[in-house]
């Protein structure tokens, strides 16, 4: 699968998934997806539920202006379970700040992530996480990240880059976190109102 849309928002195997939709038992391999913003290996912008899904190794996700994830670029109140990504994810492009890049999800607001993992390396500027770049009011349970999370600005974490009011339990992060600025953490880069 090769999707090359560098001037398009909401780019993936599925560009946008609505709140009444679900994806189950789907695996993608050798995926190459590039877009402007909201870019994911499986879904660009998501509000639905995903279970037992994966984006396998040999895949690459690239966004010109961030909000990129190995599985999902941007997620609003979706329920994600038994999901994985081994894709390499890059949020770096032609802009100085390319926000929110994650090994599994770039930006997640509300909802949950359970029994999920990310193995690929992640690079970006601000809000870079091995699993999730930015999370707010999210529950993350029994989920792991093992790839390198590298950010050129701030809020870089092995599991989550930038976290607000997020509950994280039974988790691990084992990848390198070579941040070059402020708020760099082995688990979470910046944590507020936990």
């Amino acid at each position: 699968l090769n999707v090359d849309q560098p001037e398009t928002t909401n780019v993936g195997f599925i560009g946008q998934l609505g709140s009444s939709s679900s994806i189950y038992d789907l695996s993608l391999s050798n995926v190459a997806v590039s877009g402007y913003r909201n870019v994911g290996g499986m879904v660009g912008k998501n509000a639905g539920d995903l279970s037992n899904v994966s984006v396998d190794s040999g895949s690459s996700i690239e966004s010109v202006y961030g909000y990129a994830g190995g599985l999902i670029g941007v997620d609003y109140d979706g329920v994600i379970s038994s999901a994985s990504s081994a894709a390499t994810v890059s949020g770096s492009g032609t802009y100085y700040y390319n926000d929110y890049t994650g090994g599994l999800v770039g930006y997640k607001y509300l909802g949950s992530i359970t029994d999920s993992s990310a193995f690929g390396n992640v690079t970006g500027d601000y809000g870079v996480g091995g699993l999730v770049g930015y999370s707010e009011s999210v529950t993350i349970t029994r989920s792991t990240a093992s790839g390198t999370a590298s950010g050129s600005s701030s809020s870089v974490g092995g599991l989550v880059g930038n976290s607000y009011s997020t509950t994280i339990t039974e988790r691990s992060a084992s990848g390198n976190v070579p941040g070059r600025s402020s708020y760099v953490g082995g688990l979470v880069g910046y944590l507020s109102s936990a």
Side-chain angles (χ1 to χ4, degrees):
L1 173 67
N2 189 342
V3 181
D4 185 13
Q5 298 289 329
E7 297 181 356
T8 302
T9 298
N10 302 336
V11 181
F13 176 70
I14 297 171
Q16 184 168 344
L17 188 71
S19 59
S20 60
S21 300
S22 302
I23 301 175
Y24 298 101
D25 304 324
L26 177 64
S27 179
L28 302 176
S29 59
N30 297 315
V31 172
V33 180
S34 63
Y36 179 73
R37 186 170 174 168
N38 302 355
V39 182
M42 190 166 289
V43 183
K45 183 178 181 180
N46 178 62
D49 298 341
L50 284 79
S51 181
N52 194 29
V53 295
S54 66
V55 175
D56 297 336
S57 60
S59 300
S60 63
I61 313 302
E62 183 176 0
S63 175
V64 173
Y65 197 63
Y67 295 82
L71 187 75
I72 299 169
V74 171
D75 183 285
Y76 293 98
D77 204 20
V79 175
I80 302 167
S81 62
S82 301
S84 67
S85 173
T88 298
V89 185
S90 173
S92 298
T94 58
Y95 292 81
Y96 182 71
Y97 287 109
N98 302 296
D99 296 343
Y100 310 131
T101 308
L104 193 74
V105 181
Y107 177 103
K108 179 152 179 58
Y109 178 71
L110 300 176
S112 61
I113 299 174
T114 307
D115 296 321
S116 297
S117 56
F119 308 100
N121 295 333
V122 185
T123 60
D125 289 333
Y126 172 83
V128 179
L131 189 76
V132 181
Y134 175 95
S135 68
E136 182 174 350
S137 301
V138 176
T139 300
I140 300 174
T141 307
R142 295 186 302 276
S143 297
T144 65
S146 58
T148 295
S150 177
S152 59
S153 183
S154 67
S155 300
V156 183
L159 193 74
V160 180
N162 202 322
S163 175
Y164 290 88
S165 301
T166 291
T167 301
I168 303 173
T169 59
E170 299 177 70
R171 71 292 173 259
S172 69
S174 58
N176 294 326
V177 188
R180 287 176 271 175
S181 188
S182 57
Y183 307 121
V184 178
L187 190 70
V188 179
Y190 182 89
L191 177 66
S192 177
S193 302

